[in-house]
Amino acid sequence: MSTLRFHAIKESLNRKPIKIEELERRSAIFGQNVFNEDTMRQFLTKEAFNSVMDAIQNGSKIDRVVADHISTGMKEWAISKGATHYTHWFQPLTGATAEKHDAFFEPIGGGRAIEKFGGGQLVQQEPDASSFPNGGIRNTFEARGYTAWDPTSPAFIYGTTLCIPTVFVAYTGEALDYKTPLLRALQAIDSAAVDVCKYFDKNVKKVNASLGWEQEYFLIDRALATSRPDILMTGRTLLGHSSAKGQQLDDHYFGTIPNRAMAYMRDLETECMLLGIPVKTRHNEVAPNQFELAPIYDEANLAVDHNSLLMDVMDKIAERHNFKVLFHEKPFAGVNGSGKHNNWSLSTDTGVNLLGPGKTPMSNLQFLTFFINTIKAVNDNEELLRATIASASNDHRLGANEAPPAIISVFIGEQLTKVLNELENVTTGKLSPEEKTDLKLNVVGKIPEILLDNTDRNRTSPFAFTGNKFEFRAVGSKANCASPMTVLNTIMAKQLIDFKAEVDALIEKKSLKKDEAIFNVLREYIKKSKNILFEGNGYSEEWEKEAKKRGLSNNKTTPEALKVKVSKKAIKLFEELGVMNKIESEARYEIEVEEYVLHIQIEGRVLGDIARNHVVPTAVRYQNILIENVKGLKEIYGSDFKKFAKEQLNLIEDISGHIEAINSNVTKMTDERRSANNVSDVEKKAHAYCFKVKPLFDEIRYHCDKLELLVDDELWPLTKYRELLFTK
């Protein structure tokens, strides 16, 4: 194995950047492989085009006859771009995307064939619903499920395949994917936000949730990654001693991008442009060989699709450049992990960002309404929001090396804190003319038009206001953005519905003017939401103690965090807004808990294999070399040999101690895993894996890492951190 390690290092050192030719401006190639509005105008009839646009803008259904016209135009465009196949591209609850390719080709007899793609094939397909995670909704003998076209996310061509974004539902109608609940949540926030917007502008007819994600990732040479069984099987290193140099010099962050990485980024960005993914930013991140890319924000459903597609494309482009992309939230111990910050806002069809302050007191009152309602929504549902970012991989990241903690809090900055303090003192009921003037001129009116440069940032805050949006920083790099976006938009929709009811009640029953009613309700929300606001260091023990006093949850592990998803409150919330029914909520909980168990189970098996079949034999081999050395010294020096072999004897003893500890802990881990596997209740099984099996990982790793420092480097079989992180 040590031979494999050194071959991999040699191979990686001989790599040269692949030359990337950029022949056209990005603006010229943007969206070339997307069936977007411009393309539809060329390839669709007027009736078909209007039908698709009506579906996108108003959610109306597309008639099957019209669907035939749309499919014909889509097929002609796809074939003109070199496509030979089509697929319904969907996002099942595996965490990856799914696709089944069918050819346009169809025989018509007489040795002839045609390219065929009808409306029925566009609108619906039938994958096996029992083979994807379904939480017991579908049995093996009940395999039928459906993918159905989502016209709000445009079809695209990747390679030679026309990809049609779709939802995925069971034969009985329950959602089996990430997209369906998201679309329902986006409908809910649209309806609720429009109703509130009408207090300020009667012309608003639609509100879109927008999302701008930031994707962090590691790039590792493919040969080096292949030499590590743990990276190949789990996406992270299960053992490995820290490199003497890590990120402590802060010399990688925003540094010059290495040549090979730059070639990869340029190639990737070209693909993104063709696929209509509006990637704009690229840079080195904090940890060695860690990078980030980010697009311009987009409508939330499309942004989620773009991020899922991007991760697929990143993997494929990486192969071309002999890289392995690591999306795991914590692939290396001791250096920063990777997140996927979700920048969220709401905007109207009249062009107003509802979380952006404006030029007038009225527009600022609208801003404050949505700003304070967001804080209230998070305050009332912080435990549910925490559950959306729970995973076996993100557990390693939360609360470590600048990542936000498991305690959800909201950071708004000093300036807006002062504004909220002023509003908290508004008089109950009707406002005096003097108070109205003071509010409009000195409080609301003085909110700066642009807060972007006046609002500080807090890297330890999970949910922070950053000038004209909220940044949900706790989302993991491997995650599908749909899960946090579904919950965030759902809780916000519920909050806005409640807010409107309270304001209307004050107007009707207390005869308050609209502004007075709004101020009164916002004042109470500020008082009720103080517990969630926190401006300090999220890592500190003091904050943990303070958060506990405030009644905030601190669910540090996934099994603890997920339980809220099947609470009466959560199920009622999703049912009330039509986002998920009870069966769908319970199924998702079961899927996520089972997924947690399987991840820890796989990691345990891989770690046991590496420890016993790679590390221990190597240590024994080196120990035998030391023993032969000691024997030689004894032959030369006789009874005085211990004076010359003292260090060797100490090494032999230390190695024996570590070998014994590894073997005993691997045995314990295997026994605990076997015991956990006998537990039928999935929740109890997850707790057994979390609190009985997983803690032994650290014990095994500790002794393996100690051996890495003791054993001759020439013999060590596993590529080391210094090689994984610093080979460019």
Side-chain angles (χ1 to χ4, degrees), residues 499-711:
F499 169 77
K500 186 171 188 305
E502 290 183 53
V503 170
D504 288 348
L506 288 179
I507 293 170
E508 291 165 15
K509 295 175 184 176
K510 301 285 186 181
S511 301
L512 295 185
K513 290 196 169 57
K514 179 185 68 180
D515 288 6
E516 290 175 326
I518 290 171
F519 277 126
N520 272 260
V521 175
L522 293 181
R523 179 197 63 233
E524 294 306 310
Y525 285 177
I526 293 166
K527 290 178 180 177
K528 291 175 181 175
S529 303
K530 279 192 163 184
N531 283 342
I532 203 71
L533 298 175
F534 178 63
E535 306 292 302
N537 179 6
Y539 299 145
S540 65
E541 288 183 18
E542 290 78 12
W543 170 231
E544 274 205 38
K545 292 174 185 173
E546 174 63 23
K548 189 174 181 181
K549 283 182 190 174
R550 296 187 187 189
L552 299 178
S553 67
N554 186 11
N555 296 320
K556 293 185 177 180
T557 68
T558 291
E560 294 170 299
L562 288 177
K563 285 190 342 190
V564 71
K565 287 196 169 186
V566 285
S567 65
K568 288 181 181 178
K569 179 183 174 184
I571 289 172
K572 183 183 175 187
L573 169 69
F574 290 128
E575 285 191 320
E576 188 179 320
L577 287 154
V579 173
M580 285 188 287
N581 60 32
K582 188 180 180 192
I583 293 172
E584 290 170 324
S585 292
E586 289 176 342
R588 272 166 169 68
Y589 170 72
E590 189 167 323
I591 289 165
E592 290 178 47
V593 174
E594 181 68 23
E595 182 185 31
Y596 177 84
V597 167
L598 293 173
H599 274 292
I600 304 300
Q601 186 184 80
I602 291 167
E603 287 190 350
R605 287 173 174 170
V606 173
L607 180 57
D609 169 48
I610 295 174
R612 279 195 166 149
N613 296 321
H614 295 66
V615 173
V616 168
T618 303
V620 169
R621 185 179 169 195
Y622 181 56
Q623 195 178 47
N624 287 336
I625 292 172
L626 292 172
I627 290 169
E628 289 302 315
N629 178 257
V630 171
K631 284 180 180 177
L633 290 171
K634 189 175 182 180
E635 284 179 15
I636 295 171
Y637 295 105
S639 58
D640 289 337
F641 84 97
K642 287 187 179 179
K643 182 171 67 175
F644 301 101
K646 181 182 175 184
E647 293 304 321
Q648 292 92 318
L649 289 168
N650 286 339
L651 266 175
I652 290 167
E653 190 174 336
D654 286 348
I655 289 169
S656 290
H658 291 305
I659 289 172
E660 190 279 327
I662 289 168
N663 278 323
S664 64
N665 279 302
V666 169
T667 299
K668 280 184 201 172
M669 178 185 69
T670 305
D671 290 343
E672 290 291 356
R673 207 168 63 233
R674 191 178 295 115
S675 176
N677 289 339
N678 289 327
V679 177
S680 56
D681 182 276
V682 70
E683 187 177 308
K684 289 178 181 175
K685 184 186 284 190
H687 275 78
Y689 265 95
C690 183
F691 299 109
K692 298 284 188 182
V693 177
K694 190 180 167 194
L696 291 164
F697 290 8
D698 291 336
E699 290 291 322
I700 296 165
R701 178 174 190 150
Y702 171 81
H703 294 285
C704 288
D705 289 356
K706 285 296 181 184
L707 284 176
E708 184 182 322
L709 294 178
L710 298 177
V711 171

Side-chain angles (χ1 to χ4, degrees), residues 1-15 218-233 235-239 260 288-289 318-319 321-326 331-332 610 614 713 716-728:
M1 277 299 287
S2 58
T3 305
L4 175 60
R5 173 187 160 209
F6 290 114
H7 273 309
I9 293 168
K10 184 178 179 181
E11 194 176 335
S12 67
L13 291 174
N14 289 330
R15 308 261 199 227
F218 281 83
L219 274 184
I220 306 299
D221 185 88
R222 183 161 289 274
L224 298 181
T226 305
S227 73
R228 292 283 307 222
D230 47 358
I231 291 178
L232 285 185
M233 300 295 286
R236 75 178 181 106
T237 54
L238 297 173
L239 49 82
R260 279 185 67 202
N289 276 353
E319 286 185 35
H321 290 259
N322 291 303
F323 279 126
K324 172 77 174 170
V325 181
L326 302 184
F332 302 101
I610 295 174
H614 295 66
D713 184 64
W716 194 253
L718 301 169
T719 306
K720 297 186 176 183
Y721 268 32
R722 67 168 183 261
E723 295 147 359
L724 290 166
L725 290 170
F726 291 97
T727 303
K728 301 300 181 186

